[in-house]
């Protein structure tokens, strides 16, 4: 069982930055691939970024070059650094975890979810 708790959301002006954190419980965090998803009102949940157990990363095209996902296995944490934020980045952001060494892109592939944190970008 893994519990995930996000923090770091808030209100920011366009062009600004936020850093989201996700703290995970458990002693086998390093065996879990992690993902950051977001869901805006009226839209489907979408993958923003994912990081494998080996530290490899992939991003949605809409955030490439602006967002960076990272993990600190010693702290059982994953982060999402968001720069050059745009109003269209406004959404609830959730971190998710799934056991295994591969790539995981669909929400259905993730076993554990945090409660989410709101990110609002004003124009």
């Amino acid at each position: 069982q893994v519990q995930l708790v996000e923090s770091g959301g808030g209100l920011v002006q366009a062009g600004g930055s936020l850093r989201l954190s996700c703290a995970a419980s458990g002693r086998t965090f390093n065996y879990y691939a992690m993902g950051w998803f977001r869901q805006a009102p009226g839209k489907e949940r979408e993958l923003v970024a994912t990081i494998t157990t080996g530290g490899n990363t992939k991003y949605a095209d809409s955030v490439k070059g602006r967002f960076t996902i990272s993990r600190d296995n010693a702290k059982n944490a994953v982060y999402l650094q968001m720069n050059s934020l745009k109003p269209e980045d406004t959404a609830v952001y959730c971190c998710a975890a799934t056991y295994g060494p591969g790539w995981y892109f669909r929400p259905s592939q993730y076993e554990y979810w945090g409660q989410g944190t709101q990110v609002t970008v004003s124009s």
Side-chain angles (χ1 to χ4, degrees):
Q1 189 78 8
V2 176
Q3 292 184 323
L4 304 171
V5 179
E6 301 96 337
S7 61
L11 174 65
V12 64
Q13 288 188 332
S17 298
L18 283 175
R19 187 191 193 214
L20 304 184
S21 299
C22 175
S25 65
R27 293 178 289 179
T28 59
F29 175 75
N30 53 306
Y31 293 130
Y32 286 81
M34 302 297 297
W36 281 100
F37 290 80
R38 67 185 181 187
Q39 188 167 20
K43 295 188 177 181
E44 292 188 354
R45 181 176 290 179
E46 64 172 349
L47 178 69
V48 175
T50 183
I51 186 166
T52 67
T53 55
N56 296 303
T57 60
K58 286 190 184 291
Y59 299 89
D61 288 343
S62 58
V63 307
K64 279 181 184 176
R66 301 188 297 122
F67 291 11
T68 303
I69 187 173
S70 60
R71 65 189 300 159
D72 186 337
N73 291 336
K75 295 183 178 180
N76 277 17
V78 64
Y79 308 100
L80 186 67
Q81 177 67 43
M82 305 186 294
N83 299 328
S84 301
L85 282 160
K86 304 175 181 180
E88 50 264 44
D89 294 318
T90 295
V92 174
Y93 285 71
C94 294
C95 67
T98 192
Y99 189 90
W103 291 106
Y104 307 94
F105 302 115
R106 298 189 302 274
S108 60
Q109 294 178 298
Y110 285 80
E111 301 169 77
Y112 304 103
W113 291 82
Q115 82 288 350
T117 185
Q118 176 70 46
V119 172
T120 303
V121 184
S122 63
S123 56

